[in-house]
Amino acid sequence: MKIQNILLLSANWITQLLVAQLIISGFVNFYTQVWNRGFGDVHQSHKKRVIYRGLLIVVSTGLSMLLFLAGYVNASNTTTMMYHNIALFILILAILDEGINGGEFLIRCASLTTLWLLHHSSDYTTPRFGISLLAMWFVLVIIWQYRAKIEASFPLRLLVCMLVAIDFWVTLPLHSVGMLVTPSIAIQAILMFFLMKISTGNQQTLWNHNAQLAYSANYDKMTNTKNYGAYRKDIFNDFGIAHTKHQPLSMAVLDIDHFKLINDKYGHLAGNKVLTEIASVLKDTIAQYSSAYRLYRTGGEEFVLVFPDCSVNEALPVLNHCWTAVRNMNLNYEKHQIKVTISIGATEAIDSDKSAVNVYERADNSLYTSKKHGRDAVTVNGKTSNGDDNLERETYAFFVKGVYDRSSNQERRRVANELLLRSYDYDKQKWTVPTEDYLDIDTRLTLMQDALVNSRCRSIIISLSIADFLDPMTEVNPQDWTDKI
């Protein structure tokens, strides 16, 4: 008879364990998805992320209280234990959330403390209650103090969870919210909690692994923007929707001006910082207009902005804002202030487009026009502006003219580069000889760097006006010029 009772109790406990596992597994899956929207998805708007973070608190606290009530009204001792165990598990899971701030952590701790008080409602005057509560708070302090290490290690998470569970079940009074807490019930509860944690730990590890794979496939690690692979998938869908529903679709291709010079002058780490800072500014800027607008890093220093259900005229103020925001960046690297500008080309889909490639090609051609007009400009369908109609601007550049040795019958050999200063006439849209060609030395050196960046010739010839020749700043050591160039 005893063996039969043991078998029945074991079967009952195993059934409850399986039910608990199914409930917890479904909850963890849902909870992890909400957490990812609130914490992991940086492309969600700030308002939506706040809503999802609040939803995590509501779901964990609300469901644990419902399970507490379900256990309280249940007539079965072991079933009541299962409900209370799941409620305890959910609250501890929420406390171990990665990325929560101090306020969110305190709300979760308050929920766990409330559950603790409800179960010890008949035991407040005993030393056992005070010790159990202090022990629980001590573990919570340890969790907050060392949360980075605990979050990164499943064995540590398992350890702190089991410490709280053991403290909870071992110190409960004999009669707790309609449940008779015998040593057998406490042992079953602790074992059930341990098995739930082991199974969900593997589930979370697998989910995180899949999430990392998905992130690697769709996002650029350095700038945290979507990559070229994601762009190809998304733009295919965007173009199909725009074509089918007759909605507008706009696209902008942008490039960081003189990016190679930044790498050459300050190093590749500085270049990486420029990329990440510009990506951050662009994301923050477009987020002010619509969460539907998307930024992609499609290669090197090139980015693509996609504006679904948006005409190019509607997108132009956003592009001008992006252009201005980058120009106004305060970008410092190792005590050097780096001035950065971008060139933008934009267009929108038209009826004759066969695919998104046609849209991209027109936007890219407009980007080339921006570069041809001196960079630091916005070009929409071939029409160039500087991003701000009230901003007056002059553009200068040095053009390289080869100087060759003709003293022998051998093949001509370039012996020097002659640098010719030109200015861009925006009205005539062509390069002209400047009427006033005076520029300070630092500006000239910067322009020389741009002109000679791909030149292998180590000698240059510079034409100087009388004003240039008499300028004291011109009297510098040639080696200083070499170092700067």
Side-chain angles (χ1 to χ4, degrees):
M1 196 69 179
K2 283 186 177 181
I3 296 176
Q4 186 177 4
N5 289 336
I6 292 173
L7 290 175
L8 287 173
L9 290 173
S10 299
N12 185 46
W13 182 83
I14 291 172
T15 302
Q16 290 169 353
L17 173 63
L18 293 174
V19 172
Q21 293 279 26
L22 290 173
I23 294 173
I24 285 298
S25 179
F27 175 80
V28 168
N29 184 57
F30 168 78
Y31 192 87
T32 305
Q33 291 185 41
V34 176
W35 180 93
N36 185 60
R37 293 176 183 271
F39 290 90
D41 190 353
V42 296
H43 297 280
Q44 291 282 354
S45 66
H46 177 71
K47 182 179 179 180
K48 285 186 177 180
R49 294 176 74 179
V50 170
I51 292 173
Y52 283 122
R53 290 171 75 151
L55 181 61
L56 290 174
I57 296 174
V58 173
V59 167
S60 58
T61 302
L63 185 57
S64 63
M65 290 301 110
L66 285 175
L67 288 166
F68 170 81
L69 292 174
Y72 181 73
V73 300
N74 196 277
S76 171
N77 206 41
T78 54
T79 304
T80 299
M81 177 271 292
M82 178 192 71
Y83 282 130
H84 292 330
N85 218 10
I86 297 174
L88 177 66
F89 186 94
I90 288 172
L91 289 178
I92 298 177
L93 177 74
I95 285 172
L96 289 170
D97 268 353
E98 182 181 354
I100 59 176
N101 58 37
E104 292 168 321
F105 183 77
L106 288 176
I107 292 173
R108 287 161 165 80
C109 291
S111 300
L112 180 60
T113 302
T114 300
L115 186 71
W116 213 276
L117 293 173
L118 289 172
H119 280 83
H120 285 268
S121 58
S122 62
D123 197 34
Y124 292 157
T125 59
T126 64
R128 177 177 57 189
F129 166 69
I131 293 171
S132 70
L133 194 61
L134 288 174
M136 184 265 289
W137 284 345
F138 176 77
V139 175
L140 294 180
V141 171
I142 294 296
I143 291 173
W144 179 251
Q145 190 71 25
Y146 300 99
R147 58 191 180 278
K149 291 183 179 179
I150 293 172
E151 289 164 358
S153 171
F154 175 72
L156 289 178
R157 293 201 305 273
L158 178 62
L159 175 62
V160 295
C161 287
M162 291 310 301
L163 288 175
V164 176
I166 291 170
D167 180 29
F168 178 83
W169 287 107
V170 169
T171 61
L172 281 179
L174 182 62
H175 297 280
S176 174
V177 289
M179 177 176 55
L180 185 64
V181 186
T182 62
S184 174
I185 288 292
I187 292 172
Q188 290 179 51
I190 293 169
L191 180 58
M192 179 183 290
F193 192 97
F194 174 79
L195 294 174
M196 285 193 296
K197 188 61 187 174
I198 290 292
S199 65
T200 55
N202 292 332
Q203 181 182 353
Q204 286 180 293
T205 300
L206 180 60
W207 193 93
N208 290 333
H209 177 69
N210 291 335
Q212 288 175 0
L213 289 177
Y215 178 88
S216 299
N218 293 287
Y219 286 86
D220 174 57
K221 268 187 179 180
M222 182 187 300
T223 60
N224 206 24
T225 59
K226 287 193 170 185
N227 59 22
Y228 180 68
Y231 161 77
R232 291 188 63 182
K233 290 185 290 186
D234 292 348
I235 198 63
F236 177 82
N237 294 330
D238 291 333
F239 184 82
I241 292 171
H243 186 72
T244 303
K245 296 186 177 181
H246 304 287
Q247 294 177 350
L249 173 66
S250 298
M251 180 189 298
V253 182
L254 62 93
D255 211 41
I256 302 174
D257 297 328
H258 309 300
F259 185 70
K260 186 177 186 303
L261 289 175
I262 294 172
N263 280 330
D264 291 343
K265 186 173 182 178
Y266 303 104
H268 288 282
L269 292 179
N272 292 345
K273 183 174 183 180
V274 168
L275 285 170
T276 55
E277 292 290 333
I278 286 182
S280 178
V281 167
L282 293 173
K283 284 188 291 185
D284 290 343
T285 302
I286 63 175
Q288 298 176 36
Y289 294 87
S290 173
S291 59
Y293 300 162
R294 298 189 301 274
L295 174 69
Y296 302 85
R297 183 189 177 198
T298 51
E301 67 272 24
E302 183 182 275
F303 293 85
V304 172
L305 283 164
V306 177
F307 303 89
D309 197 15
C310 177
S311 69
V312 74
N313 289 332
E314 293 171 323
L316 184 56
V318 186
L319 296 175
N320 288 337
H321 192 174
C322 290
W323 178 85
T324 305
V326 172
R327 282 183 119 253
N328 295 335
M329 284 173 57
N330 292 319
L331 208 159
N332 296 295
Y333 179 77
E334 293 185 351
K335 299 182 180 179
H336 297 288
Q337 187 169 6
I338 304 176
K339 182 66 176 176
V340 185
T341 60
I342 55 176
S343 298
I344 303 175
T347 190
E348 65 182 316
I350 57 179
D351 293 338
S352 60
D353 289 330
K354 301 299 182 183
S355 69
V357 175
N358 302 127
V359 187
Y360 176 85
E361 287 175 347
R362 283 199 308 279
D364 194 48
N365 289 336
S366 288
L367 171 63
Y368 177 76
T369 303
S370 288
K371 291 182 177 182
K372 184 179 177 182
H373 288 179
R375 298 183 175 87
D376 188 20
V378 180
T379 301
V380 178
N381 291 325
K383 184 179 179 181
T384 303
S385 68
N386 54 22
D388 186 345
D389 293 335
N390 297 320
L391 181 65
E392 294 184 0
R393 183 177 60 130
E394 286 185 321
T395 301
Y396 289 90
F398 275 113
F399 286 81
V400 181
K401 181 180 180 181
V403 179
Y404 295 90
D405 182 7
R406 295 175 176 267
S407 60
S408 65
N409 295 326
Q410 298 176 355
E411 184 179 351
R412 289 196 313 165
R413 182 173 63 89
R414 180 180 287 201
V415 294
N417 291 311
E418 183 178 4
L419 299 181
L420 307 175
L421 184 64
R422 296 291 183 264
S423 65
Y424 191 79
D425 189 325
Y426 283 93
D427 294 329
K428 297 179 181 179
Q429 293 196 355
K430 67 178 183 178
W431 291 97
T432 61
V433 177
T435 54
E436 297 181 5
D437 61 354
Y438 179 75
L439 291 174
D440 61 80
I441 296 299
D442 286 338
T443 302
R444 284 177 177 261
L445 290 176
T446 300
L447 293 174
M448 290 177 197
Q449 283 181 319
D450 190 12
L452 297 172
V453 65
N454 293 315
S455 175
R456 296 181 180 179
C457 190
R458 306 183 70 177
S459 300
I460 59 173
I461 298 172
I462 306 169
S463 300
L464 296 177
S465 66
I466 295 175
D468 293 331
F469 189 77
L470 295 177
D471 188 345
M473 287 299 296
T474 308
E475 298 178 12
V476 295
N477 190 323
Q479 183 61 41
D480 295 338
W481 286 51
T482 305
D483 292 341
K484 291 185 179 181
I485 295 177

